[in-house]
Amino acid sequence: MPHDHTTITDSIFSLLDTADPEAASILRAEDDRQSSTIELIASENHVSPAVMHAMGTCLTNKYAEGYPGARYYGGCEHHDRIEQLARDRAKSLFKCEFANVQPHSGASANAAAFMALMQPGDTFAALVLKDGGHLSHGMKINFSGVFYKPVFYPLHADPDHEQFERIDYDKAREVCLEHRPKLLLCGYSAYPREIDFARFRAIADECGALLMADIAHIAGLVAAGVHASPFPHAHIVTTTTHKTLRGPRGGLILCNDEEIAKKIDKSLFPGLQGGPLMHIIGAKAVAFGEALMPEFRGYSQRVVENAKALAGALTERGFRITTGGTDNHLMLVDLRPFDAELTGADAERWLEDAGMVSNKNAIPGDPRPPKHTSGLRLGTPATTTRGFGTKEMEMVAGWIERVLRAKGDAQEAGRVREEVRLLCEAFPLPGHEHAGARAGV
Ligand SMILES: Cc1ncc(COP(=O)(O)O)c(C=O)c1O
């Protein structure tokens, strides 16, 4: 049905359609995929039109090596202002003294933090990777495992313990007292429970370590006051900007200590990176501005409510949620009680066929290899952005049950795919608000 609305996305694409139809058709296909499927990957989100636009600006044309007021190139007047704005907003958001907004990604932020606080060969402590840590927390072939010496603390492994699958703070303390790491690292990629930063700081103090919190996943919840802040406990905080914080893809480093801040600035540039991605820094400023608005708190609260609703609805349908639930935006689903034969890899593929995008994930103590896994990681930042509430999360749980019960049967997947598409049309993505009109509904 013809319509006279032009969405923001239409106007971006109309230019590309003429300039480069081949690239435009691929980008349109991806835009359609995102619009018509339910994004359940816990580390992904849909940015606002303002953030999307800020990334595509003249800021990309400029070299601005250095920092505001101390650049290696001329013509940086406005770049200084936008980077300062991003820094100031980041500091207000996380209530801290120093912010470096230049890391290209969360992994670069972690590399810079390690380089600022440790010498090659130094020991650091982190969570056992397969229990929810990130590869930049000590994976053998990652910079963190090649240049530094990781020692690992576990989750509680005893199913009869009330803290089963939660961080074992006593073991973390034992590991730290035994190995005396320079750095104690907390903050994870697949941990559904609140992190006790004060408890980690006490352990760090006792063993003479600095405390680093990588809040890549929970940054938006922290900024909104929905998860406890790592400040004042952590000496250094790293994060991504594109997950719950809903900004452009990138990293951020925060601290309260001037000496540490100077070391971070030096280790990031010229230590690790060259020219900063100024267009992304511009978009970080815009995203931080959005996160400072009162609405962002409501959004973050709904992210957690939705995660709890999805976890509850899946439990009712026979799945087991590790730790018995979630305090944040994500959950780990143990598929075995629902179907002992079902792997995370199969579940991921079958759900995608039905329009629900997720990722397989090891569950703590998973007997299956990482290629297969017994679990799925699900998150609600993206579905909450498009307006889903607890009712829609229950619908999602019902579809997950149907698809997995049918073991990937193509007809059932097709029926669910159609229902998913209709729900997606009723909840268009930011910047696609007239997409329903385009589809004639
Ligand atoms: C805890 C944690 N730290 C760091 C990162 C790395 O971020 P990036 O992919 O931007 O390098 C991630 C990404 O998933 C993460 O979960």
Side-chain angles (χ1 to χ4, degrees):
M1 181 191 289
H3 66 93
D4 52 9
H5 299 299
T6 305
T7 69
I8 289 170
T9 309
D10 286 337
S11 62
I12 294 173
F13 281 129
S14 64
L15 188 115
L16 265 179
D17 280 340
T18 317
D20 187 340
E22 192 179 0
S25 74
I26 299 172
L27 298 184
R28 274 191 188 278
E30 171 58 8
D31 188 63
D32 281 346
R33 185 193 70 82
Q34 291 186 18
S35 296
S36 66
T37 56
I38 295 176
E39 183 54 74
L40 293 167
I41 294 179
S43 50
E44 296 187 11
N45 212 329
H46 303 289
V47 298
S48 71
V51 171
M52 189 72 91
H53 269 248
M55 282 184 267
T57 57
C58 59
L59 292 176
T60 197
N61 293 333
K62 187 86 195 82
Y63 253 112
E65 281 180 352
Y67 290 101
R71 304 282 190 188
Y72 287 78
Y73 289 81
C76 287
E77 178 192 348
H78 306 300
H79 294 262
D80 282 3
R81 288 172 56 211
I82 196 75
E83 184 166 348
Q84 196 52 53
L85 184 65
R87 282 176 170 182
D88 290 343
R89 287 182 176 173
K91 289 188 278 177
S92 308
L93 206 48
F94 293 97
K95 300 181 185 59
C96 64
E97 297 287 319
F98 301 96
N100 187 316
V101 296
Q102 291 195 4
H104 297 339
S105 70
S108 329
N110 287 346
F114 277 27
M115 203 170 155
L117 301 179
M118 291 193 283
Q119 296 300 316
D122 278 349
T123 300
F124 70 98
L127 179 67
V128 173
L129 294 188
K130 63 179 179 46
D131 282 354
H134 185 255
L135 53 93
S136 62
H137 299 181
M139 186 191 192
K140 246 196 183 114
I141 56 169
N142 181 264
F143 78 88
S144 53
V146 172
F147 299 116
Y148 304 93
K149 186 170 167 261
V151 291
F152 296 104
Y153 58 84
L155 300 176
H156 275 283
D158 176 2
D160 295 327
H161 197 288
E162 52 163 20
Q163 295 293 309
F164 179 47
E165 296 173 326
R166 297 180 190 225
I167 294 162
D168 188 336
Y169 292 93
D170 293 332
K171 282 263 171 56
R173 177 172 171 269
E174 276 172 31
V175 168
C176 287
L177 287 174
E178 184 186 344
H179 295 280
R180 300 276 164 185
K182 265 253 179 82
L183 201 70
L184 169 55
L185 176 50
C186 63
Y188 316 103
S189 296
Y191 186 68
R193 293 299 181 174
E194 179 116 2
I195 300 166
D196 189 342
F197 295 113
R199 196 146 174 206
F200 271 122
R201 174 58 186 264
I203 298 171
D205 284 347
E206 196 181 349
C207 72
L210 292 171
L211 179 63
M212 171 170 160
D214 175 350
I215 59 167
H217 261 265
I218 54 172
L221 307 182
V222 169
V226 174
H227 187 292
S229 172
F231 292 119
H233 312 293
H235 296 94
I236 188 165
V237 173
T238 58
T239 181
T240 57
T241 47
H242 48 270
K243 305 184 204 275
T244 49
L245 195 49
R246 209 165 60 182
R249 191 158 290 282
L252 172 68
I253 310 177
L254 306 161
C255 72
N256 273 325
D257 180 304
E258 192 167 3
E259 286 313 305
I260 292 179
K262 280 187 195 152
K263 287 185 188 166
I264 291 165
D265 285 355
K266 210 167 115 198
S267 67
L268 192 74
F269 174 84
L272 280 165
Q273 293 185 177
L277 308 176
M278 292 309 300
H279 56 309
I280 297 297
I281 290 173
K284 285 176 184 172
V286 174
F288 299 160
E290 289 179 356
L292 283 164
M293 305 282 199
E295 295 77 22
F296 192 76
R297 183 174 161 79
Y299 160 70
S300 302
Q301 284 169 333
R302 288 193 298 280
V303 166
V304 176
E305 276 165 25
N306 281 346
K308 287 182 190 295
L310 181 58
L314 289 170
T315 306
E316 282 168 18
R317 288 167 168 78
F319 297 92
R320 188 183 77 89
I321 307 299
T322 69
T323 75
T326 179
D327 298 330
N328 59 27
H329 63 298
L330 67 78
M331 69 213 67
L332 278 181
V333 186
D334 181 353
L335 301 164
R336 292 170 304 178
F338 179 80
D339 177 347
E341 301 300 311
L342 180 60
T343 67
D346 282 340
E348 176 190 310
R349 204 176 62 251
W350 295 342
L351 292 177
E352 185 166 356
D353 289 344
M356 292 174 285
V357 187
S358 65
N359 65 281
K360 62 179 176 295
N361 209 105
I363 53 163
D366 202 323
R368 291 194 172 110
K371 250 172 73 181
H372 299 296
T373 81
S374 304
L376 269 187
R377 187 184 66 163
L378 303 178
T380 51
T383 51
T384 308
T385 290
R386 77 186 302 161
F388 283 14
T390 54
K391 194 174 119 228
E392 286 73 29
M393 296 323 300
E394 279 166 28
M395 291 167 73
V396 169
W399 289 326
I400 291 174
E401 180 190 11
R402 270 172 61 192
V403 172
L404 298 186
R405 190 145 334 266
K407 294 185 182 295
D409 172 75
Q411 282 193 347
E412 183 68 338
R415 282 190 289 270
V416 170
R417 180 77 189 82
E418 189 50 23
E419 290 175 46
V420 164
R421 194 183 63 76
L422 287 174
L423 188 70
C424 287
E425 278 177 8
F427 291 88
L429 295 183
H432 295 62
E433 275 75 11
H434 298 298
R438 185 169 55 209
V441 294

